[in-house]
Amino acid sequence: MTLHNIKLTVNGLPVEAAVDDRLTLADFLRHQLNLTGTHIGCEHGVCGACTILVDNVSARSCLMLAVQTDGLAVRTVEGLQATDGTLHPLQAAFRDNHGLQCGYCTPGMLMTLVEFLGENPQPSAADVREAISGNLCRCTGYQRIVESALDAAKRLNEQEP
Amino acid sequence: MKPPPFAYHSATSIPEAIQLLSKLENAKLLAGGQSLMAMLNLRYLHPENLVDINRIPELSGITIDQGRLRIGAMTRQQAIKASAEVKAAAPIFAETLAYVGHRQTRNRGTIGGSLCHLDPAAELPALALLHDAMVTVAGPRGERKIEMAAFIVDYMTTAVQADELVTLIEFPLWRAGHGYGFAEFARRHGDFAIAAVACLMESDSEGRMTRVAISVAGVAATAIRLTAAEAALIGKVAGPEAFAAAAACCADIAAVGDVHGSAEYRKKVAAVMLRRALTDAQSRMAKNG
Ligand code: FES
Ligand code: FES
């Protein structure tokens, strides 16, 4: 086992760390940085719970090694809310529309939808369903998640000047 | 689970990657990681060394020249799907890539990784076979080019040696205005295909098909070309009658069944997918009367 020194940014803040060869990005975030908002469901790329953004595009953090993020910018669910604690419009929409029950899938849903709504400001319900097709939810039946995403799109559009 | 222990190495050039592969014992290349990392986490594989090729810029990029679409092995699937250039020259790519995993996996997953993993249900090997793509492989003995039909050796087995890496995939482009179709059936969006069919088509002014290519994924042990169906279509007028005759050829595929679908079922689904793909291809052919 070798330790590799890496420098990256996590939610905009610089991070320096020494990581083991085989440490996944998901475990690095959770165990070394104590950012436990990123959840781990399957650890083999199927459930989407561990979805985060790497250099602004979504990725499954269980399928990346921590050492691979040297020099990159990582964004997790903890980076969504404003510094004063105001929820991101997507988070607020999930809260108001009952878009979560146990909340296990929610961080992955949110990070997937942040990217998706950034590119598709006026999605249809079918578009949203396709966008979250790589995220499993065992509670909601997805209906409320789709409604939350559509409501979030509306809120984000209103927010734009 | 967590991956088994290995030593991580990052190569920053093609020669460095080849050198690492030659000198390290039991080494595996890490491309996009969307299959390899899952296999490591499931402990299907126990490599002693991983050689990461994500920091080799010359392995990524898309160019079109002299009727060939050239895609670097480490080009992300999402980059190919989003490329306006590719969409204009070979629209089947964007249509097919929508079925490749999910957005989160396409952002990382690469075309070269998909070809080398060679999952029988994967769409990209079927697209490469459909186009008679040429794969460039680099190794300690220099560079060599392998036709896609020879690149595919057997179930999840390619002609790439342990000390070689794929650098480039070249797709000969079809005439502007060619018809194209891709149809896939899977239990859920983004799942592995039960059966998927890709086809390209050209016809003369009377609507008689002059050139047809058909490939099938998810049914046999590897992606295959359906040469019997192609031959059955040439010279026929594109339409339901000819397509039904072509679809009948699916009965002869050496299909492999598993828990998600028996061999018989997969062949039946393939026939339906083939009819749909051919119908789409016909409707999309430019009317060159
Ligand atoms: S934990 Fe990463 S996809 Fe399930
Ligand atoms: S809210 Fe429980 S898994 Fe989605």
Side-chain angles (χ1 to χ4, degrees):
Chain A
M1 159 176 146
T2 326
L3 286 178
H4 302 264
N5 294 312
I6 56 169
K7 278 188 199 178
L8 64 155
T9 68
V10 177
N11 298 325
L13 299 172
V15 170
E16 284 186 42
V19 295
D20 182 14
D21 302 78
R22 61 164 162 160
L23 184 70
T24 67
L25 177 53
D27 283 345
F28 171 63
L29 293 168
R30 291 177 54 83
H31 301 309
Q32 246 167 283
L33 301 184
N34 292 326
L35 293 172
T36 52
T38 299
H39 291 169
I40 294 176
C42 65
E43 291 189 318
H44 62 273
V46 174
C47 72
C50 68
T51 303
I52 52 152
L53 302 184
V54 177
D55 280 358
N56 289 319
V57 296
S58 62
R60 300 207 188 293
S61 58
C62 70
L63 297 186
M64 273 186 84
L65 296 169
V67 57
Q68 292 187 289
T69 60
D70 188 25
L72 306 184
V74 169
R75 194 169 173 211
T76 68
V77 69
E78 287 92 346
L80 282 186
Q81 63 177 24
T83 37
D84 67 358
T86 313
L87 291 184
H88 186 281
L90 191 55
Q91 292 173 305
F94 265 68
R95 182 188 59 194
D96 298 345
N97 291 282
H98 211 89
L100 61 149
Q101 287 181 30
C102 80
Y104 205 86
C105 68
T106 315
M109 291 283 179
L110 293 173
M111 300 318 283
T112 298
L113 287 166
V114 161
E115 174 186 52
F116 171 72
L117 294 178
E119 293 171 358
N120 303 276
Q122 321 264 9
S124 67
D127 296 338
V128 172
R129 281 184 187 275
E130 186 176 329
I132 59 167
S133 62
N135 297 77
L136 298 181
C137 174
R138 299 293 77 171
C139 301
T140 62
Y142 302 99
Q143 187 57 34
R144 293 298 187 150
I145 295 178
V146 174
E147 283 166 21
S148 302
L150 293 173
D151 184 33
K154 224 185 296 159
R155 293 178 195 220
L156 285 162
N157 290 335
E158 279 161 15
Q159 202 183 55
E160 307 273 287
Chain B
M1 285 189 291
K2 317 294 179 191
F6 54 76
Y8 170 89
H9 312 264
S10 176
T12 51
S13 70
I14 295 172
E16 191 190 353
I18 295 169
Q19 206 199 349
L20 285 168
L21 282 180
S22 312
K23 102 170 178 228
L24 297 170
E25 287 292 311
N26 187 10
K28 269 261 169 206
L29 280 181
L30 174 59
Q34 301 304 291
S35 301
L36 178 60
M37 281 298 300
M39 291 171 86
L40 288 172
N41 290 355
L42 290 165
R43 303 220 172 180
Y44 289 156
L45 294 173
H46 293 82
E48 277 160 61
N49 294 284
L50 273 199
V51 178
D52 186 352
I53 51 172
N54 280 274
R55 294 188 193 258
I56 308 181
E58 62 263 38
L59 282 178
S60 302
I62 301 172
T63 52
I64 294 179
D65 73 306
Q66 295 175 337
R68 292 176 93 76
L69 166 63
R70 299 155 56 91
I71 306 182
M74 282 297 290
T75 309
R76 310 286 170 188
Q77 292 154 1
Q78 182 63 24
I80 305 169
K81 181 169 182 279
S83 161
E85 227 188 340
V86 175
K87 198 168 275 173
I92 195 168
F93 276 81
E95 178 157 295
T96 302
L97 280 156
Y99 291 87
V100 177
H102 305 281
R103 176 63 191 266
Q104 301 101 320
T105 61
R106 289 194 296 267
N107 281 338
R108 300 278 317 157
T110 66
I111 183 166
S114 176
L115 295 196
C116 291
H117 184 57
L118 207 68
D119 191 287
E123 294 84 359
L124 285 167
L127 262 199
L129 196 58
L130 182 75
H131 285 85
D132 295 312
M134 191 68 93
V135 184
T136 305
V137 171
R141 296 163 300 280
E143 225 178 58
R144 59 191 183 110
K145 286 181 185 277
I146 313 172
E147 282 178 21
M148 194 57 202
F151 179 90
I152 299 175
V153 174
D154 205 341
Y155 173 71
M156 296 185 93
T157 308
T158 71
V160 182
Q161 302 298 309
D163 55 0
E164 293 179 317
L165 78 155
V166 172
T167 56
L168 180 75
I169 303 101
E170 292 175 90
F171 298 83
L173 291 170
W174 283 46
R175 212 172 63 192
H178 67 267
Y180 64 94
F182 181 83
E184 172 169 322
F185 179 74
R187 293 291 298 277
R188 292 167 305 190
H189 183 90
D191 273 10
F192 285 114
I194 298 283
V197 175
C199 74
L200 300 171
M201 188 187 289
E202 288 176 5
S203 69
D204 64 14
S205 51
E206 262 91 65
R208 274 192 297 268
M209 290 169 276
T210 52
R211 193 179 171 204
V212 182
I214 299 167
S215 64
V216 180
V219 183
T222 67
I224 52 161
R225 278 286 285 270
L226 218 54
T227 43
E230 293 170 9
L233 290 171
I234 297 297
K236 304 270 163 49
V237 174
E241 207 176 310
F243 297 165
C249 298
C250 290
D252 300 327
I253 299 175
V256 183
D258 67 5
V259 64
H260 301 292
S262 66
E264 278 314 305
Y265 176 63
R266 282 172 194 268
K267 287 197 274 189
K268 291 212 166 95
V269 176
V272 177
M273 294 303 117
L274 177 56
R275 268 203 307 272
R276 287 186 194 166
L278 288 169
T279 308
D280 280 348
Q282 182 197 5
S283 69
R284 286 156 167 176
M285 265 191 301
K287 307 281 169 267
N288 31 21

